[in-house]
Amino acid sequence: MMKIEPLYPKYESYLKDESGLTGEADGIVFPQNTEALATIMRTAAEDRRRLTLQGSRTGLVGGAVPGGGLVVNLSRMNRVLGLEKKGDKDLLHVEAGATLEAIALAAAPKGLSFVPNPTEQSATAGGMFAAGSCGLNGLRYGAGHRHVEALHWITPGGEIWQIRRGEYIFDESSCSLPGGRRIRCEEKWASLPRAARLPQKGQDLIDFLAGSGGRYGAVAGLWLNLLPRPRELWGVLYFFSETGSLIRFSEALLEWSKTPAGQQLTAAEYYDRATLELLAGARKRSSLLQKLPPLPAQRAAVYLELSGDDQGALESALLDNYELFCDAGGDEDDTWAVNSPTEVQRLQQLRHSVTELLNAASTAAAKEQGLPAGRLETDFTGPPEKLAQYLESYRSGLARAGVRGYLYGHLLQNNLHAALLPQDSAAWDRSQALIRQWGKKALQDNGLLISEHGEGRLKEGLLESLLPPEAIAARETLVARFTAL
Ligand SMILES: Cc1cc2nc3c(=O)[nH]c(=O)nc-3n(C[C@H](O)[C@H](O)[C@H](O)COP(=O)(O)OP(=O)(O)OC[C@H]3O[C@@H](n4cnc5c(N)ncnc54)[C@H](O)[C@@H]3O)c2cc1C
């Protein structure tokens, strides 16, 4: 039988993740293989004991924060089991607790990589899958789970399934499952908002399970589709002093990204002025920032990555988008363009620093002001063609509410994160109202309320207040059906 250990004092930090929330639990268990995880889940189901699955606890929304019951931490199921050739695909088989760093290390000697480059490198493959994590290169490669070819999945009742991409697809009323059973869904669910994340006709079971934060079971192992690393990689940081030029550039870039030359664009990340100021303010204490030129003041920026194997085609694509930038009225003198791996990596780390700095700032601000713990940050996705409207609505909303806010994220996917740092409890209330107002807009546009950060305790109230009751009921029905399997 699996050893259940007390949380205090040794494992107290396992009650937290990067959301700023702290939970409670009766004990913690560290399964070391798939069978052990299945046994824990089966026993917990029989005893009706609540489980909280954890990878590396880098999640931003409290999905790994327990609310009683048992913590199941998968960090000791962290083996990289090997690279397999399947047709023309290179599949890396890993346990769910393998970190993205370990995956990158295993892939690199073969000239391969897990290209979506989804997130914080200490995150686990299972956490990345369960959170639906995206990351820098999501613009071209989609979320990390799109590159999962097969899974070992454990049902809430402790059954072990092997699921291969393409084998189990939802139709309008059900999906076949391993072992010859079916999971039922209702045809009327098709008319409910996409944001409810209910199954859609034609959807692969793997993609449906991704981003579900452990509601329908646990991932124990993954076969990741690795791709050859592109030979050439450029990182370009464009600065803008006027919102008008930024919007013109973004709109032109969106159209250009649909052309053959635009296929080389793999990342387009936005930083508003406040975010650049946050970075600039951290210069003294950041060795990364000290290696970069000072960030120009009073500017917003767009970071682009372009990659490919054909140097000539890539350079011509770079010139194309530089022209778009100049035509839009960007600040030509301030452009940074780099192509050595070390320099590109620094610009990627700059993006990463934003999340780190905001994590630290929001935890400190909540503590100082005596406000409820937990990051106040949006993860909405609207239609890409409405980007200008969304930018304006974030900007004017923050100004009206009088709340300190930072806007950054995936520009061309219109998945921008507005991180709010209220200065007192009245501003905290206004921040909540503002987040709901932005969420309503995303919902009206059939966008997403949760995109890459996954489901977690910080998002429960938002979903309940914005989704129609039928959508909430349908989500609960589906959990009950998976639990009853
Ligand atoms: C500095 C920083 C930068 C980040 N940048 C990005 C970014 O660019 N893009 C992005 O998308 N995210 C980003 N994140 C968020 C975070 O890294 C991701 O959500 C990550 O994928 C979570 O992985 P984890 O192993 O830490 O999972 P955890 O935080 O431990 O868990 C996340 C969720 O997955 C569930 N879970 C974990 N393992 C399993 C499993 N095996 N089976 C079923 N459910 C499981 C948990 O219950 C929880 O709901 C960032 C975080 C930090 C701290």
Side-chain angles (χ1 to χ4, degrees), residues 4-232:
I4 298 176
E5 302 190 59
L7 278 143
Y8 296 97
K10 190 170 170 192
Y11 296 117
E12 199 175 340
S13 60
Y14 287 73
L15 294 171
K16 298 179 186 181
D17 65 7
E18 291 289 332
S19 63
L21 298 179
T22 304
E24 53 185 29
D26 309 327
I28 185 164
V29 60
F30 294 91
Q32 305 217 3
N33 55 49
T34 302
E35 288 69 30
L37 175 59
T39 305
I40 293 165
M41 292 186 62
R42 192 169 45 252
T43 314
E46 284 161 7
D47 299 347
R48 295 182 177 277
R49 192 169 199 186
R50 189 178 176 151
L51 296 182
T52 301
L53 295 157
Q54 291 183 341
S56 292
R57 295 175 293 113
T58 69
L60 303 171
V61 294
V65 176
L70 201 58
V71 172
V72 183
N73 185 289
L74 300 191
S75 58
R76 295 186 195 161
M77 269 176 70
N78 60 356
R79 286 178 302 162
V80 174
L81 296 165
L83 196 57
E84 303 165 11
K85 196 89 187 160
K86 192 99 195 191
D88 58 350
K89 291 184 173 157
D90 290 295
L91 303 183
L92 188 69
H93 181 197
V94 298
E95 290 184 319
T99 62
L100 296 177
E101 189 180 16
I103 290 165
L105 282 174
K110 307 273 180 208
L112 299 168
S113 70
F114 186 55
V115 279
N117 189 14
T119 169
E120 160 64 35
Q121 292 296 290
S122 64
T124 62
M128 174 268 312
F129 181 84
S133 298
C134 199
L136 265 188
N137 299 132
L139 174 65
R140 181 57 54 219
Y141 299 107
H145 66 86
R146 295 268 170 203
H147 300 259
V148 172
E149 278 296 312
L151 283 180
H152 269 151
W153 186 260
I154 320 265
T155 66
E159 236 176 74
I160 304 173
W161 291 350
Q162 173 143 24
I163 308 174
R164 289 193 196 86
R165 185 170 283 283
E167 276 184 2
Y168 304 102
I169 308 287
F170 280 92
D171 60 27
E172 35 300 87
S173 58
S174 68
C175 181
S176 63
L177 298 173
R181 274 170 301 170
R182 299 190 83 79
I183 186 94
R184 265 192 318 114
C185 42
E186 315 289 332
E187 284 179 38
K188 61 184 181 198
W189 292 353
S191 60
L192 293 171
R194 189 162 78 97
R197 301 176 83 107
L198 293 162
Q200 292 170 6
K201 186 179 167 193
Q203 190 175 27
D204 196 296
L205 181 60
I206 292 186
D207 295 326
F208 168 69
L209 295 172
S212 62
R215 276 204 320 283
Y216 307 117
V219 50
L222 306 92
W223 281 260
L224 306 171
N225 188 11
L226 304 183
L227 296 180
R229 273 163 21 145
R231 275 193 221 117
E232 300 284 329

Side-chain angles (χ1 to χ4, degrees), residues 333-345:
D333 295 342
D334 286 331
T335 302
W336 301 0
V338 295
N339 75 337
S340 82
T342 313
E343 286 175 309
V344 175
Q345 206 181 23

Side-chain angles (χ1 to χ4, degrees), residues 358-402:
L358 284 171
N359 274 357
S362 68
T363 307
K367 217 178 208 173
E368 264 165 39
Q369 312 298 336
L371 299 172
R375 290 166 66 98
L376 290 177
E377 182 165 327
T378 66
D379 184 24
F380 304 134
T381 295
E385 62 283 2
K386 290 195 177 176
L387 175 65
Q389 266 183 37
Y390 277 64
L391 277 169
E392 173 51 23
S393 141
Y394 286 123
R395 198 198 54 75
S396 59
L398 285 169
R400 243 191 351 264

Side-chain angles (χ1 to χ4, degrees), residues 272 274-275 277-278 357-358 360-366 368-369 371 376 394 397-407 418-424 427-428 430-431 434 438:
D272 75 350
T275 304
E277 275 162 23
L278 180 78
L357 288 170
L358 284 171
S362 68
T363 307
E368 264 165 39
Q369 312 298 336
L371 299 172
L376 290 177
Y394 286 123
L398 285 169
R400 243 191 351 264
V403 179
R404 185 151 56 108
Y406 302 85
L407 192 58
L420 281 68
L421 264 66
Q423 59 277 27
D424 54 33
W428 192 89
R430 292 199 299 281
S431 302
L434 192 55
W438 288 327

